[in-house]
Amino acid sequence: MPPPDDRSADQARAAIQAALGQIGFCLPGSITIRHARCGKPRCACAADPPSLHGPYIQWTRTVNGKTVTRLLTPAQYQAYAPWFANARRLQKLAAELEALSLAEMARAEGWEKINPGTQAPARTKLARVPKQPITRKTPGDQPA
């Protein structure tokens, strides 16, 4: 049975689809920019005030369940920063579409809410079907 029409939900879905169509390449993971000390006592990083080494731009992501980190140059970071922003935007749009879908399902089914941690709506009981008698295939299967 198709859910009843809801123009506002269709408009919201269309807006999300349009935004998804504008997203370009996406790179997963996170970027960390850090400065560090080397530990040498006569280095400028040990002075007061310190002149730290860096910036070190680290791209961290998960590949096959393992954390992978790669250092990027400032030029690489500038070139790919929009791709990282696209990945964050993609995750946000996917979450919005999921929330909209859950709300529409709840509305169509007459449920108040579908949220994690809330009790599931009552299920419809299936009618019991009487058991069919077992048919014996060979005469040796017949009881004596």
Side-chain angles (χ1 to χ4, degrees):
M1 158 171 110
D5 286 337
D6 184 9
R7 300 285 179 212
S8 63
D10 285 339
Q11 290 172 345
R13 183 187 46 78
I16 292 171
Q17 283 180 325
L20 285 170
Q22 299 299 317
I23 292 179
F25 289 112
C26 298
L27 285 174
S30 62
I31 294 290
T32 304
I33 301 173
R34 62 182 185 84
H35 293 78
R37 294 183 184 191
C38 67
K40 295 179 184 175
R42 295 170 77 58
C43 183
C45 67
D48 189 24
S51 176
L52 300 178
H53 299 282
Y56 297 107
I57 304 167
Q58 293 180 318
W59 170 33
T60 305
R61 62 192 175 111
T62 302
V63 177
N64 295 328
K66 297 197 184 262
T67 302
V68 177
T69 300
R70 176 168 286 201
L71 289 176
L72 301 178
T73 65
Q76 289 172 324
Y77 175 66
Q78 292 299 320
Y80 299 114
W83 294 16
F84 293 109
N86 285 344
R88 287 190 300 274
R89 179 75 176 136
L90 177 63
Q91 289 175 345
K92 181 180 175 194
L93 289 170
E96 287 177 17
L97 184 59
E98 184 178 284
L100 179 64
S101 299
L102 287 169
E104 275 305 292
M105 182 182 184
R107 186 192 58 76
E109 295 297 325
W111 300 332
E112 289 183 29
K113 289 184 180 179
I114 303 176
N115 289 332
T118 60
Q119 186 173 359
R123 295 184 179 179
T124 306
K125 275 191 160 180
L126 297 175
R128 295 196 90 182
V129 178
K131 290 187 177 180
Q132 299 294 326
I134 299 173
T135 56
R136 307 292 181 182
K137 295 185 180 181
T138 61
D141 291 339
Q142 299 293 335

